[in-house]
Amino acid sequence: MPKDWEAFYQERGEDRAPAFVVRAYGPFLPEGPVLDLAGGLGRNARYFLRRGHPVVLVERSREALRRLSGTPGLSLLEMDLEAFPLSLPQGPFAGILMSYYVNRPLLSLLPPLLLPGGLLLVEGFSRKEARRRGRPDSPFYWEPLELLTPPPGLALRAYGEGWMEGYWVFAVYLRP
């Protein structure tokens, strides 16, 4: 993981495709706003904006937020998601996204922010990828089968784990 997110976002282009879980399950979100946590330069937010969803993007990098400033339909919130207690937007949201950001305590706070029928989309690298990258003890990777257990109040709708330009994992949770 980059140590200097400001420098990372100064050098990064905006041409990356949305995450797999967004492309595959984003169309199933009900109408309503989307919360994109640790949204970076907005690759996933842009997908939802094109589909007519207003998006609240939470990011701690001022450089990323500066580059996204003025995007129609996009509300920006500067926040360090690892500084508890958090003051998250209250929603309710049609969808919440955690893409390539691992924060286990945060997952338990998200179910009440979803509309009934809303989806929580999670995607990231697995522990197998951490070992491949020489970071076997890093906390920023999902453990094998970890995402099979939904946060309290949500139901598992889809899950996958395997190789896709790295060992990755995704889960889709539904608020009944």
Side-chain angles (χ1 to χ4, degrees), residues 18 22-27 42-52:
V22 169
R23 295 187 318 266
Y25 296 93
R43 70 181 179 134
N44 297 308
R46 284 184 185 82
Y47 171 90
F48 289 115
L49 289 169
R50 285 191 299 271
R51 296 189 63 84

Side-chain angles (χ1 to χ4, degrees):
M1 307 317 282
K3 293 184 189 234
D4 183 349
W5 285 103
E6 302 306 322
F8 178 80
Y9 287 127
Q10 285 174 351
E11 299 168 6
R12 185 120 190 145
E14 298 175 18
D15 59 348
R16 296 175 59 215
F20 166 81
V21 73
V22 169
R23 295 187 318 266
Y25 296 93
F28 299 101
L29 263 64
E31 288 185 24
V34 171
L35 178 61
D36 187 355
L37 298 168
L41 293 175
R43 70 181 179 134
N44 297 308
R46 284 184 185 82
Y47 171 90
F48 289 115
L49 289 169
R50 285 191 299 271
R51 296 189 63 84
H53 294 276
V55 177
V56 176
L57 184 140
V58 178
E59 175 58 54
R60 75 176 180 184
S61 167
R62 289 184 177 164
E63 175 62 17
L65 295 171
R66 183 193 65 77
R67 289 179 60 183
L68 290 168
S69 180
T71 303
L74 184 62
S75 299
L76 303 173
L77 180 58
E78 181 182 345
M79 180 185 298
D80 181 351
L81 291 168
E82 295 170 16
F84 284 85
L86 293 174
S87 181
L88 292 170
Q90 292 303 301
F93 295 98
I96 300 175
L97 175 66
M98 282 181 60
S99 173
Y100 293 89
Y101 174 65
V102 177
N103 184 327
R104 290 166 179 90
L106 180 58
L107 276 178
S108 65
L109 301 177
L110 301 178
L113 303 181
L114 281 169
L115 290 166
L119 298 177
L120 170 56
L121 308 175
V122 180
E123 181 174 322
F125 288 121
S126 70
R127 177 64 49 202
K128 201 172 196 179
E129 181 66 11
R131 287 191 296 275
R132 187 178 81 85
R133 292 181 178 199
R135 304 174 188 159
D137 299 321
S138 172
F140 302 112
Y141 296 84
W142 297 106
E143 298 300 332
L145 309 177
E146 179 179 9
L147 293 178
L148 277 173
T149 303
L154 301 182
L156 181 67
R157 301 307 298 165
Y159 174 84
E161 192 169 337
W163 175 263
M164 190 171 75
E165 300 178 23
Y167 293 101
W168 62 284
V169 61
F170 78 89
V172 177
Y173 305 112
L174 169 74
R175 180 166 183 203

